[in-house]
Amino acid sequence: MANELITGAEILIRSLIDEGVTTIFGYPGGAIMPVYDKLYDYKDTAIHHVLVRHEQAAAHAAEGYARVSGKVGVALVTSGPGATNTITGIADAMMDSTPIVVISGQVGVNALGSDAFQECDIVDVTQPVSKWAYQIRSADKVAWAVSRAFYIARSGRPGPVLLDFTRNAQTELASYEKRDIHFIRSYKPVPDHTADSIREAARLINESYKPLVLVGQGVELGGAQQELREFIERADAPAGCTLLGLSALPSDHPLNVGMLGMHGSYAANVKTQECDLLIAVGMRFDDRITGKLSTYASRAKKIHFDIDPSEINKNVPVDVPVLGDCKETLPEVTRLLRQADHKAWRESFEPFRKQEEDTVIRPEVYPTEGPLRMGEVVDRVTRATSNEAILVTDVGQNQMIAARYFRFTKSHSIVTSGGMGTMGFGLPAAIGASFAAPDRTVCFFTGDGGLQMTIEELGTIMEQKAPVKIILLNNNYLGNVRQWQQLFFQSRYSFTRMLNPDYDMIASAYGIASRTVTKREELDAAISEMVAVKGPFLLQVAVMEEDNVLPMCCPGHDVDDMLLTF
């Protein structure tokens, strides 16, 4: 009934349901208690609430949920430290264009500015790292604020929104009427593209002899996976993928030349410097992709497809910007393309691919003696899951090695912290991913450092029976930092060696099945056991302590200047 008076807390919940929210990740506290009290009436019916063990985990779990489902993830926390604990997740979501809405409690309007218990100006704190931050001060603004928040979070280039919910607004009465905001004056989420840019892009592609496509996460965010395939097949253009764009194109597609950047494919990086046309689709030319900017792809004309005008010419000057949603702009360009045949160009990648295969991949993935290697573990796991699992990683060597050797057949299958590089991201993000796709296997690769940053979320896994497969690559080091210390600081391993706990005992305490592998001949059976278990599993693998992720482009060097050994 339109005139029925209900509390602002209930208006929030009804608004979330109308936005299609079925899962919330949160942690209760005093300033958000009226919402939690009303949520009690909806538990296990319309909305499933996942009680995390730390508010940072609520934000990361919402990110994992959003990245896999394509929907907006939701986190619900209290004021003060509850709100500030989400800032890392909000900043992470901003860097990686992940649509989440964080709802924080706040003291009542009459107490604002009085330094009341657990008061914090979270709106001003989060404005630099969010798409929108707004304080709800009255119950009659709740429905409007929620609809606006979800529209902003998911439209255009997605990102995080914070809603700060004062306590009086939670308890006041107002009537509820569903809001459906799809327009905000002065906010244009999808810029108009021009016919001239479409024609000029098609002309450059048709005249190119050595085109190379860079596939970013924008393809996944725009749902343009099929449009991308039709585009590269028509242009007969090899395509490399950014870290976050890895599952936008099947790993076995004949035009997929692998990951780009610092630890990417040797052939893709070398050919970046040789191509005559670079076509970037939904990516931002970050430093881990470009290497030395002044000489990056200096032989090439450049086309940049992007939904965010601020990314055009920000790092790399381009010849033709194609603004707009790539799901719409890619087909328009494709229609103007002649069917190309760049066989000689494609075949020129092969010697570099084979050099990497012989020098790096075979020793890492197929060793016959010595300690277990990180790459062989990743390879065995992806094979055991038929290359159909969702890959979640923490940050560090585990992240780069998993990205290199995990294989993808389905879209929305990689969840990792790209721009922020947030250690501790992986475990809660994997929980979120498991709720987004309960019918798929979630494989979470982590190191001993990153796992301990949010290890309390094993409690969330225990309570929710979240079927996350945790693969701990334990090398007793903060491995990525140690690798840089070895390379740039004369192997002075300053505070990077880890004294680790007994992870099997920890898993047992949380009721999680586990197994530790120290020998190569034990690995396949352990992985099979992990995959067969219906619930969560912790597989700890003792890997080579001073194993390194190669190839590697060192900072300040050209992207094709890669170390294959050191």
Side-chain angles (χ1 to χ4, degrees), residues 148-164:
R148 186 181 174 100
F150 274 74
Y151 172 58
I152 291 172
R154 66 179 165 231
S155 59
R157 181 178 181 173
V161 169
L162 175 102
L163 291 178
D164 195 33

Side-chain angles (χ1 to χ4, degrees), residues 121-161:
D121 186 0
I122 195 66
V123 170
D124 279 351
V125 170
T126 55
Q127 277 183 340
V129 292
S130 64
K131 284 188 74 177
W132 186 51
Y134 177 77
Q135 188 173 80
I136 305 173
R137 295 190 172 198
S138 60
D140 61 355
K141 292 291 187 182
V142 175
W144 169 86
V146 171
S147 182
R148 186 181 174 100
F150 274 74
Y151 172 58
I152 291 172
R154 66 179 165 231
S155 59
R157 181 178 181 173
V161 169

